[in-house]
Amino acid sequence: MQWQNVGSSGLTVSRVGLGTMTWGQDADEETAREQLRLFTEAGGTLVGTAARYSDGRAEAMLGDLIGDLVARSELVLAVQGGLTRSHGGVRRADASRKGLLDSLDASLARLGTDHVDLWLAPVRQAGVPLEETLSALEVAYRTGRARYVGVSNQAGWELALAAASAGFPVVAHEAEYSLLNRTVEREATPAALALGVGVLAWAPLGRGVLTGKYRGQTPADSRAASDLWAPYVEPYLTGRPHRVVEAVVTAAKGLDLAPLEVALRWVMHRPTVAAALVGARTSHQLKDVLAAAQEPLPQQISEVLNEVSAPS
């Protein structure tokens, strides 16, 4: 496992992070334990979670494993803040000072720790001033409940405004980034590069589509076949994403690699990317990810993939 600093900060993380979005839904306690064991034995340190994952169940499962399976000091906990509330059936993050700090305290209780290593503010919320959100981050940072702070899923101008307005270091930006979604390159990654902010790329395998398993059919045990996850995967199953997947599969055959390894290595070596957060449904999937080499792809292959996947 390789490690890298997050942006220009001193926070060092494993280049592959373990996402826990599936914990408490697809992954039960036994699967979660096995995933964390495999991950840490491979040298992984970065674990990403959030209060909204299974309504807090993912954090609670992780908290049960800390101290039992792995020492707290061996993990870098990256936690997305903000309660998920329901307003007329619509679920959204709460970026208010009260919502953020309440959610942080609840996360700490579920995780069984007095601090997180990286705390991330959610996407900006209409009606909540940026200054209010930043004040919650500052409280967490100044009190030591969060060793480092950052933001998630922000547009480039929002990231720049937050970093420029804060009286403390904003070191990370968590955002979706893969060969199937390069939206962050329009504004967010140039802003991150200029500000010394590190990017944590979630869904680096294109929500599983870049593994090639959806070519020609939808496996019965896949996310796309699930009522819960199908809306999450379907946008990447037709049109332009299909051409990108075929290019990845072709490159993988030429390099004698698995498609997921090509996709993962591509995103890991994009400018500003500190780590790729992978949320596996099964331990077998995680083993495949951990077995992948982490060196850059050959330049010629990267250039072809850049061209094929370039945003319109």
Side-chain angles (χ1 to χ4, degrees):
M1 183 74 71
Q2 297 177 356
W3 295 269
Q4 183 160 311
N5 283 34
V6 177
S8 58
S9 76
L11 177 62
T12 303
V13 298
S14 54
R15 296 301 308 275
V16 173
L18 177 63
T20 61
M21 184 175 69
T22 64
W23 288 19
Q25 297 182 84
D26 294 326
D28 57 17
E29 288 87 351
E30 183 179 350
T31 301
R33 171 179 287 273
E34 179 67 3
Q35 287 189 4
L36 187 61
R37 183 189 66 79
L38 291 169
F39 179 68
T40 54
E41 287 182 354
T45 60
L46 176 64
V47 180
T49 191
R52 72 176 189 277
Y53 293 170
S54 303
D55 293 324
R57 180 60 179 157
E59 288 184 335
M61 291 168 69
L62 179 57
D64 289 340
L65 295 174
I66 294 174
D68 177 26
L69 181 65
V70 59
R72 170 67 183 89
S73 60
E74 295 180 9
L75 298 179
V76 177
L77 298 180
V79 178
Q80 190 178 118
L83 294 170
T84 302
R85 295 180 175 178
S86 180
H87 297 271
V90 178
R91 296 168 66 83
R92 63 178 183 178
D94 186 346
S96 70
R97 179 184 172 94
K98 172 177 169 41
L100 282 169
L101 292 176
D102 283 353
S103 78
L104 175 59
D105 290 341
S107 291
L108 292 174
R110 285 189 290 265
L111 291 166
T113 182
D114 62 358
H115 74 280
V116 298
D117 300 288
L118 177 61
W119 192 46
L120 302 157
V123 65
R124 290 188 65 198
Q125 180 184 352
V128 178
L130 173 63
E131 294 76 16
E132 182 174 335
T133 299
L134 291 178
S135 72
L137 288 178
E138 183 169 18
V139 168
Y141 178 72
R142 302 293 183 198
T143 60
R145 283 184 279 175
R147 299 299 194 247
Y148 296 86
V149 295
V151 296
S152 59
N153 304 310
Q154 303 278 333
W157 69 267
E158 293 174 316
L159 171 61
L161 181 60
S165 303
F168 49 90
V170 174
V171 307
H173 180 215
E174 185 181 77
E176 182 173 7
Y177 195 7
S178 74
L179 279 161
L180 295 184
N181 190 332
R182 297 173 60 182
T183 306
V184 291
E185 294 179 2
R186 295 174 183 167
E187 295 182 1
T189 52
L193 186 62
L195 296 164
V197 172
V199 172
L200 305 182
W202 62 267
L205 300 179
R207 308 186 184 188
V209 176
L210 287 168
T211 63
K213 65 183 175 183
Y214 294 108
R215 299 171 70 221
Q217 63 178 353
T218 299
D221 61 347
S222 66
R223 284 178 179 171
S226 160
D227 291 339
L228 176 64
W229 294 108
Y232 176 72
V233 179
E234 285 173 352
Y236 293 162
L237 294 181
T238 58
R240 176 178 162 276
H242 174 73
R243 296 192 295 274
V244 177
V245 171
E246 290 306 308
V248 170
V249 171
T250 299
K253 288 180 179 178
L255 295 170
D256 195 23
L257 300 174
L260 75 81
E261 184 169 344
V262 172
L264 191 63
R265 287 168 64 175
W266 179 88
V267 75
M268 286 172 60
H269 292 279
R270 299 300 291 170
T272 75
V273 172
L277 287 165
V278 179
R281 289 190 307 110
T282 68
S283 297
H284 178 74
Q285 291 174 342
L286 181 60
K287 287 179 181 178
D288 289 341
V289 170
L290 296 175
Q294 298 180 14
E295 290 75 24
L297 293 170
Q299 183 177 352
Q300 185 177 8
I301 298 296
S302 290
E303 290 175 353
V304 171
L305 293 176
N306 290 345
E307 182 177 351
V308 171
S309 64
S312 303

